[in-house]
Amino acid sequence: MKILIVEDDKNIYSILNEELKMWGYQTEGVKDFNMVLDEFNNFSPQLVLMDINLPFFNGFYWTEKIRQKSNVPIIFISSRNEATDIVQAMQFGGDDYITKPLDIVITRAKIQAILRRTYEYTNESDKLIYKNLTLNLSSAKLEGTDFYINLTRTELLILEVLFTMQSKISKREEIINHCWQSDDFIDDNTLAVNILRIRKKLKNHDIEDLIQTKRGIGYFLK
């Protein structure tokens, strides 16, 4: 597994780089912070560790650029721990968030968990069907009669819960637990932001009413 480290603090980069190599990962650090997308394309990683405060453009900017062409898992690493920062990170396409100073044990666990959940789908049942829609777990796509929608890891996990429950209500706590393993910093706002992103993608295919909200409880498919 290849991991791109987008971190301009040399000490933090050195710690991450050494630890990740000890765990058996192939790593690459960004050399030119004005060319992050180019370095991402050249390295083709399976995971990105993204700092928020970077030279030239911040991590939100580069995550949005990466999301325009790839659903690779992105974990934000930042000293900013306000709820608004975490929600914004998810809104721009992040899949997880780790705060500095780094706890290397927690960091390792999160990296292993996100890689396992993302790349072991092919070992499980591949498809879930609801009406005329198919959720393809192995390719991370929502497929219709004449279209498909690329999904991020988090979007895929949310839809997996909803498709499994069909028209029954999926409680917010159950979705959060499935997507983020009940991480302390995850709240209803984070889930709502991801639901909004999915709805925007669905709207392009005139199915924006697929996901319904049961106020105070959770979500279900219409």
Side-chain angles (χ1 to χ4, degrees):
M1 288 288 183
K2 296 193 293 185
I3 299 177
L4 179 65
I5 305 172
V6 188
E7 170 62 70
D8 64 322
D9 185 308
K10 293 181 179 179
N11 290 330
I12 295 176
Y13 167 76
S14 179
I15 292 171
L16 284 171
N17 187 49
E18 291 176 9
E19 289 289 336
L20 290 172
K21 285 183 175 178
M22 284 177 58
W23 303 338
Y25 298 111
Q26 181 181 347
T27 63
E28 186 77 55
V30 170
K31 301 174 182 64
D32 185 347
F33 287 93
N34 202 24
M35 304 292 288
V36 172
L37 186 59
D38 288 342
E39 297 199 24
F40 169 84
N41 291 334
N42 291 334
F43 188 51
S44 297
Q46 280 75 49
L47 174 70
V48 177
L49 300 180
M50 179 74 72
D51 190 15
I52 294 179
N53 296 320
L54 296 168
F56 305 111
F57 302 98
N58 65 26
F60 298 143
Y61 172 87
W62 290 119
T63 297
E64 190 172 34
K65 290 296 183 184
I66 291 171
R67 279 287 169 260
Q68 290 174 6
K69 64 164 295 173
S70 174
N71 291 323
V72 66
I74 298 175
I75 299 178
F76 278 97
I77 296 180
S78 177
S79 56
R80 294 159 60 169
N81 58 5
E82 296 295 326
T84 53
D85 294 319
I86 298 171
V87 170
Q88 190 175 8
M90 300 303 175
Q91 188 172 11
F92 275 94
D95 295 295
D96 210 332
Y97 198 102
I98 301 173
T99 56
K100 300 176 183 176
L102 295 180
D103 182 317
I104 207 65
V105 174
I106 292 175
T107 301
R108 179 181 183 181
K110 284 179 175 286
I111 288 172
Q112 290 176 329
I114 200 169
L115 288 174
R116 182 174 61 252
R117 293 198 298 267
T118 301
Y119 297 106
E120 287 186 359
Y121 274 126
T122 53
N123 296 329
E124 302 173 5
S125 178
D126 265 6
K127 297 179 180 179
L128 296 172
I129 297 173
Y130 179 76
K131 295 184 177 179
N132 63 339
L133 296 172
T134 299
L135 184 65
N136 193 320
L137 300 176
S138 61
S139 63
K141 287 181 172 65
L142 179 64
E143 301 168 349
T145 304
D146 56 357
F147 70 89
Y148 67 86
I149 299 171
N150 288 313
L151 303 168
T152 66
R153 181 197 69 91
T154 301
E155 292 165 355
L156 180 66
L157 290 172
I158 290 171
L159 286 176
E160 182 184 13
V161 176
L162 296 177
F163 269 66
T164 299
M165 293 294 289
Q166 299 284 294
S167 359
K168 297 178 183 177
I169 298 171
S170 300
K171 294 181 180 179
R172 290 172 302 187
E173 296 81 5
E174 294 171 347
I175 301 174
I176 289 172
N177 183 61
H178 185 65
C179 294
W180 297 287
Q181 304 295 299
S182 296
D183 286 334
D184 292 339
F185 66 80
I186 297 298
D187 57 16
D188 288 345
N189 287 333
T190 304
L191 176 58
V193 166
N194 279 276
I195 292 287
L196 178 61
R197 285 168 50 199
I198 297 173
R199 283 173 170 160
K200 285 182 178 179
K201 291 184 176 183
L202 295 172
K203 186 176 182 179
N204 294 331
H205 301 280
D206 298 320
I207 50 174
E208 66 269 27
D209 62 346
L210 175 67
I211 301 176
Q212 298 291 305
T213 303
K214 185 66 174 179
R215 189 174 297 277
I217 301 177
Y219 301 91
F220 63 96
L221 298 181
K222 180 180 177 182

